[in-house]
Structures are given as structure tokens and as C-alpha cells.
Amino acid sequence: MRNGALLTQNLISVTPSRVGRKKRWAEDMVARFAEGTFARIQAVLEGKEDRTDFVREAVERELKRRERQKESRPS
């Protein structure tokens, strides 16, 4: 066997063909904001937080608030 044949001979791996982490953010959305909104967000960001983190957290808080509100209403 030539050297090239030896290198390609054992290419079967025990690792699954799909390796990597699970997608954390699977859904995308485009949204428009009033002028000046990004500057206001930038002014209140903390540490290494970015604008996308801020928006995700704000949406999550509002969803939880509305879900609680909906649960407490009589049917």
C-alpha cells in the first residue's frame, strides 16, 4: 500500500455525523422600531449584554406577564 492509501483506509468514526450544539435561537423575526429606540437601548445595556439579548429578555418578561394575567382571569 502507498502512504496515501494508509491514511484514507480508516476514516470511519464512532462520532455521529452531526456534531455540535443544539440551536438555541431557532426562530427569526424582523421588527421595526421607532426612531431613537436603539439609542435608548444602548444607553441602558449592562456589561457585555447586546441589543439582541435585551430584546429577547424584554419579550420573555412580557410573555410571562401576559400568560400569568391570562391564567388569573375567570373563564
Side-chain angles (χ1 to χ4, degrees):
M1 280 189 212
R2 293 188 338 239
N3 285 343
L6 286 174
L7 293 175
T8 59
Q9 179 176 333
N10 297 321
L11 288 180
I12 298 173
S13 173
V14 293
T15 12
S17 59
R18 285 190 66 156
V19 179
R21 59 181 166 214
K22 189 176 179 180
K23 267 190 169 181
R24 188 169 177 198
W25 313 116
E27 298 180 330
D28 292 338
M29 180 182 150
V30 176
R32 298 201 181 272
F33 295 90
E35 189 172 338
T37 302
F38 292 163
R40 291 173 62 203
I41 292 171
Q42 188 64 39
V44 298
L45 292 178
E46 299 173 350
K48 292 187 176 187
E49 182 181 41
D50 66 15
R51 188 170 59 201
T52 305
D53 293 333
F54 178 87
V55 172
R56 280 190 192 114
E57 289 176 24
V59 169
E60 187 62 31
R61 275 193 310 272
E62 183 64 11
L63 284 169
K64 286 179 181 178
R65 185 187 73 80
R66 290 184 184 204
E67 289 165 348
R68 280 192 311 269
Q69 187 178 47
K70 191 173 183 177
E71 289 172 358
S72 65
R73 288 184 190 156
S75 297

